[in-house]
Amino acid sequence: MALSPEEEIEETEEEEEEVETSTTYRIDFENGRLTNDQITGTQAIRQFIYMTLRTERYAQPIYSHDIGTEIQELLTDTEATDEYKEMEIPRLLEEALLVDERIERIEEIEITKHHDAFQVKLTILTDEGTLEIEEVMGDNV
């Protein structure tokens, strides 16, 4: 006697998934406001990257747990050395950015220490092209 009934599963043809465009509203980072302007393509991906780099993961209940980085926690760790922080930042950046299916990979990461902050330069390969991103990460991530 079988524990579960046997059923035949019909094979179906897989339909090719249609990739949706990444249309979103532009964020005015200077004034902290959402605008009525719509952006797509590399502009939308660039905005996602900057939003992710400037958002502390798990700190804002409005965002899913996929949005943001854990870099702020690392940078405020008084027991971690600067060398350890420089070693961990690339891993945390990849973890945060590769959740977006439009980002294929991070090709290059350059980290420079400036006083209490780290300047990060990224070369990111996306499905829309290559983006160059530069951000200073410190107490106000």
Side-chain angles (χ1 to χ4, degrees):
M1 175 191 243
L3 295 177
S4 60
E6 291 183 28
E7 290 186 33
E8 287 189 35
I9 299 174
E10 292 182 36
E11 290 186 30
T12 59
E13 288 184 34
E14 289 186 29
E15 293 181 23
E16 191 173 312
E17 279 189 42
E18 186 175 317
V19 178
E20 293 185 28
T21 61
S22 57
T23 302
T24 189
Y25 289 97
R26 187 178 65 80
I27 298 172
D28 178 357
F29 286 108
E30 284 183 24
N31 297 312
R33 298 192 183 276
L34 193 61
T35 69
N36 286 333
D37 301 332
Q38 290 189 343
I39 56 174
T40 61
T42 56
Q43 287 181 325
I45 298 169
R46 183 179 299 275
Q47 178 172 286
F48 165 79
I49 293 167
Y50 280 115
M51 187 177 79
T52 298
L53 295 179
R54 295 172 182 180
T55 303
E56 187 175 351
R57 186 175 276 173
Y58 312 118
Q60 305 296 327
I62 192 169
Y63 295 129
S64 79
H65 292 307
D66 291 337
I67 302 297
T69 70
E70 297 172 55
I71 292 176
Q72 182 63 26
E73 183 179 334
L74 173 69
L75 296 180
T76 58
D77 183 354
T78 57
E79 294 182 15
T81 64
D82 287 343
E83 292 79 15
Y84 177 76
K85 292 174 184 179
E86 284 186 43
M87 182 184 73
E88 277 295 290
I89 288 173
R91 180 184 67 81
L92 294 173
L93 287 171
E94 287 184 3
E95 232 176 59
L97 296 175
L98 293 178
V99 298
D100 191 316
E101 61 192 24
R102 300 169 297 179
I103 297 175
E104 295 175 12
R105 70 178 177 271
I106 300 174
E107 291 188 325
E108 191 174 322
I109 300 174
E110 183 181 319
I111 301 169
T112 309
K113 176 95 164 83
H114 290 288
H115 305 289
D116 291 336
F118 290 87
Q119 180 178 6
V120 179
K121 293 181 182 179
L122 306 167
T123 303
I124 300 174
L125 183 64
T126 73
D127 60 4
E128 297 280 339
T130 303
L131 296 175
E132 301 288 330
I133 302 292
E134 192 170 324
E135 183 75 1
V136 175
M137 311 191 92
D139 291 335
N140 59 354
V141 172

